[in-house]
Every structure is written in structure tokens, then in C-alpha cells.
Amino acid sequence: MTLTEWWEFFLPYIPGFLYASWLVLVLTILIILVSWIFGLAAALARASDIAVLRQIAIFYIWFVRGTPALIQIFIIYFGLPALGLQLSPFTAGVLALGINSGAYVAEIIRAGLSAIPRGQMESSMALGMGRRHIMARIILPQVVRIILPAMTNEAISTLKNTSLLSTITVVELTLYAQTIIATTFRPFEFYIATALLYLVLTTLLTRLSAWAERRNARYV
Amino acid sequence: MSETKPLLSIRELSKSFGPIEVLKNISLDVHAGEVVSVIGASGSGKSTFLRCINVLERPNSGFLDFDRFAFDFRPGSRAAPSADDLKALRARIGMVFQSYNLWPHMTVLENVIEAPIRVRGMPRAEAVDLATTLLARIGLAEKRDSYPNRLSGGQQQRVAIVRALAMQPQLMLFDEVTSALDPELVGEVLSLMADLAAEGMTMLLVTHEIGFAREVSTRTVFFDRGVIGEDGPPSEVLRHPNSERLRQFLSRILHEGLAASAHGAAEGATP
Ligand SMILES: Nc1ncnc2c1ncn2[C@@H]1O[C@H](COP(=O)(O)OP(=O)(O)OP(=O)(O)O)[C@@H](O)[C@H]1O
Ligand SMILES: [Mg+2]
């Protein structure tokens, strides 16, 4: 095939690919938001004085990290209907991967919290500041800076994990490629194209985080 | 002085960590304007005592009266402090630590105005004015927008003192605030503390700087294995110790001091 022929062959699929990429991006952002909520809650629960909260957090992290993400997706999408909760593939996917990533985020935040010297908490308490105030204004802002690189890795994993949602009929990049390949019988070309699109997205994420890190580096 | 009500009154205060009793039935009154230096061997409970005064450590037993606060730490007491009581107490008592503990993600100014604004509810403009005045006083006005990591240890420690002063406390606690500093930076911090003492600030300071204790404090307390071994004017406690243990402690400190300065001189002599 000549270059022109290639181009003409690919052209009809470009809008579909772009839309599927866009969907991956949206999924990733939503999953990250969910994972931050679960992760922060679990990290604070683990550091809490209340034993029950600590136990729940420990169980959550243990369960999620010890089972495959794919099984977690299946439990939420195929399993929950048995309890009367039927979610759309999209919602189930965001929830499942958000809960999954949340366990890793919790561990990252925990490591970040333990990297803050005790004196930061104590000197704040000595000024009459309350726990919530200290967390929000003193501890977490420092934790954010420390954990940014690890959180970037986690976000990239999350982005790549969205391809698992092809198994529950979310038409993201991977499933879109599969449907085209099913009719064109060109797996090599289309999987390479798909890989390249994932690469563009993950590179974007890395750049974004490098920028955030630089912005944060004023006091290092 | 003894007729007036003390600013701080501690009665029968005890504190254990697990099986180890670190403070044993300590009683101490501090009147407004007193500058009390606390000396004693490592592990004698000096830091723990200071940390019990603003309840960073919760005593196992005893009474603490400070200004309008009256706490009873005996188990099951109804006058045990609530979380809000503790915040209110700590807002009135400044504490400075050996490690300066400035917040690295905030500028010098932000470090100083944070608690006045958010704990005391001071209007921002007023807090900035106060902070600027205090920073100018220690010669660091032009550093107000710097981050702490741009400052020397002595500068950071002086900012930490100013951060505590910005809360306009009635009592200041200093726990070996010069111990982490390079020798040439100790003087600037001590002279700020001497100024505060001269202005009538009520202070409790744990220190190994015996000379400073003698010159600046109005009273010296010797901690010995969790009890107050001696208590009196520095001229007497430091010059004419009653107990053998204080004599030993002072001569040890003196030797360490001499050894350190001899070492320093030797280092200085090497090209
Ligand atoms: N959080 C804690 N948990 C367990 N033991 C502690 C704790 N804090 C202090 N201790 C112990 O209590 C004793 C008194 O400690 P403290 O820090 O009050 O002594 P210090 O007089 O300040 O000594 P230094 O001059 O070394 O600072 C020590 O034996 C110490 O190991
Ligand atoms: Mg100490």
C-alpha cells in the first residue's frame, strides 16, 4: 500500500478513535477523583484513634490489593445486581476502578503522612490549632508535594487499567479497536494505532505532573 | 510576690510512659514576670515537664492551674480538660522546640500569621501588621516572603519564637532552643530571649547554657530523676548547690563546655 492508500484506509476510523481516546481521558479523570475520595478516607481511617475505622481500612486495602482488578470490576458490574443494584457499564467501571485505585492511593498517602516530621504536628498543636485545621493547612499540603510522583504513577496505571472496562462493554479505546479489527481483520495496524494513542495520553499525564511538581518546588 | 496568685500553678503532677515514672509528684508555682530556667541531666524529665504544661503530654495525675484554667488530671476527674479547653490553653502558652518546626510550605509571614488569624480570629490586616512589627524587631522584615529553607538555623529559630509571640501568649516555654544550632548562631537566639525576659515575659526555659541561665533567669529549677531537686535564685542554685547530684551535674556540664570550646579553638587554629 502507498502512503495515500494507508491514509484513505485509516481516515474513516479517526473520529471514532478520537472519541474513544476522549472517553479514556474522561474515565481516567472520574476514576482518579473517586480514588482520591476512597484513598484519603482510608488513609485517615488507618491513622484514626477509632479501632473499627482502622480495621475497615485495613480490610479494604488488603482485599483490593490481593485480588485482580478484573474480578473487582466483575463483582461490581455482574455481582451487585444480585443485591438489586444494577449499574450502567460506565458507572460500574468508574466505581470499580476508583475503589481499586483508592487502596493504592491510601497506601501512598500513608507513606506521605509518615514522612512528615512529628514536630510539624506538635508545633501546630502548641499554637492552639485543632486537628482538622492542622491536617488541612499544615500536613496535607506537605504530603501532596511528597506523593506527587507516586500519584502520577498511580494515575498512569489507572489510565491503562481502563482498557479492562472493554470486558463490560464500555466502548473505550481497546473495545473500539477490537470492533474495528473484527470487521477489517487488521489487528497489527489497529493495535499499534491504539498503543500509540495510549502513549499520547500517558505522556500527557506525565507532563502535567512534572508541571505540577515544578510549581510546587518553590520551597524544596 | 508570694501574696499574688501565681500565673501557673502545678500540684502533684505525675507522668509515666508505660511502667516508667518520668515525673514524680511535681509541684511548682510560677508568677507573672518570672523567668525560670530548668536544668538537669538528660532523661531527668525536663522536656516532659514542659510538654505537660501545655498538655502535649497528658499527665497521669495532678492539678494544673493557669490563668482562668483549672485542670484536674486525676483519673475519673470531672475537671479534666476537653479538646476545646486544650486548644484555648495552648493559644495562651507559646512553645518553642529544639527543632524549629517552621512550616516549610509557607513563607515566613504566612508562618507567623496563620495561628493569629485562624485560632484567635484576628483580622488579617492586623495579623500582618503585628507580624511585620515582630519580624522587624528581629531584623528579618525583608525575609517575610522567603520560605524557611532560605533562612539560617538561627533565623529560623527566631522566626519560630516570633510565630509563638504573635499569639500574644502569657507564658513562653523554651525547650533547649539553641541545642540544634551551630555555635556561631546561638548568640542571636539567646539575645532575643534575653530581650523578652527583660520586657517582663513570663518564661520557662530548659537549657544547658548555664551562663545564660545565671544571667537571664530569676530562678533556677534543677530536675533530678523526675523530681525537683533544687529550686531558688540562680546565684544560689548554680553557685552554691546543696546536693552532691547538682554539684556533679554542674561540673560535668562545665567540663563538656570547656571540652567543646577547646575543640572549637583547636579547629579554628587548623588552617
Ligand atoms: N513519648 C515517650 N514515650 C516513652 N518514653 C518517653 C517518651 N518521652 C520521653 N520518654 C522518656 O522519659 C524520660 C524523660 O524524658 P525527657 O525527654 O523528658 O528528658 P529530658 O530531661 O528532656 O532529657 P534531654 O536533656 O535529653 O532532653 C526519658 O527516659 C525518656 O526516654
Ligand atoms: Mg529534653
Side-chain angles (χ1 to χ4, degrees), chain B residues 46-48 98 175-176 206:
Chain B
K46 307 180 297 292
S47 296
T48 307
Q98 182 176 336
D175 191 358
E176 294 193 41
V206 174

Side-chain angles (χ1 to χ4, degrees), chain B residues 39-166:
Chain B
I39 58 170
S42 181
S44 58
K46 307 180 297 292
S47 296
T48 307
F49 178 64
L50 239 54
R51 294 161 58 81
C52 280
I53 293 174
N54 64 1
V55 203
L56 283 182
E57 300 291 355
R58 210 182 179 92
N60 296 91
S61 181
F63 304 88
L64 191 156
D65 284 31
F66 174 80
D67 192 36
R68 65 181 175 83
F69 301 94
F71 299 147
D72 177 351
F73 291 102
R74 288 174 304 177
S77 150
R78 291 228 237 102
S82 68
D84 283 339
D85 289 336
L86 293 184
K87 279 191 260 177
L89 175 84
R90 291 172 187 148
R92 313 298 307 141
I93 300 179
M95 183 163 194
V96 186
F97 303 81
Q98 182 176 336
S99 50
Y100 338 115
N101 297 339
L102 292 179
W103 303 312
H105 61 303
M106 292 187 179
T107 63
V108 165
L109 182 72
E110 287 165 346
N111 265 274
V112 178
I113 64 177
E114 176 73 14
I117 292 175
R118 286 170 188 268
V119 177
R120 293 196 60 191
M122 197 183 277
R124 191 185 161 87
E126 196 183 317
V128 170
D129 273 355
L130 175 61
T132 311
T133 310
L134 288 168
L135 288 171
R137 207 191 123 164
I138 59 169
L140 291 179
E142 81 285 6
K143 297 280 188 192
R144 54 173 255 172
D145 296 321
S146 304
Y147 286 89
N149 67 330
R150 297 278 158 236
L151 272 53
S152 73
Q155 292 173 331
Q156 288 189 51
Q157 192 59 296
R158 287 184 292 142
V159 171
I161 294 173
V162 159
R163 178 172 71 174
L165 291 176

Side-chain angles (χ1 to χ4, degrees), chain B residues 190-253:
Chain B
L190 291 183
S191 84
L192 171 57
M193 290 165 69
D195 288 350
L196 289 176
E199 283 162 24
M201 173 64 80
T202 313
M203 307 177 17
L204 256 101
L205 50 107
V206 174
T207 186
H208 286 307
E209 309 273 347
I210 298 296
F212 181 75
R214 191 162 45 218
E215 280 164 38
V216 171
S217 54
T218 58
R219 184 173 159 199
T220 296
V221 168
F222 172 55
F223 265 69
D224 184 19
R225 292 176 289 192
V227 301
I228 292 181
E230 297 196 28
D231 179 354
S235 51
E236 284 174 25
V237 172
L238 297 173
R239 275 184 232 274
H240 311 289
N242 286 323
S243 61
E244 185 54 32
R245 293 197 48 91
L246 178 52
R247 249 190 300 279
Q248 282 170 359
F249 171 73
L250 288 174
S251 80
R252 197 161 61 239
I253 286 258

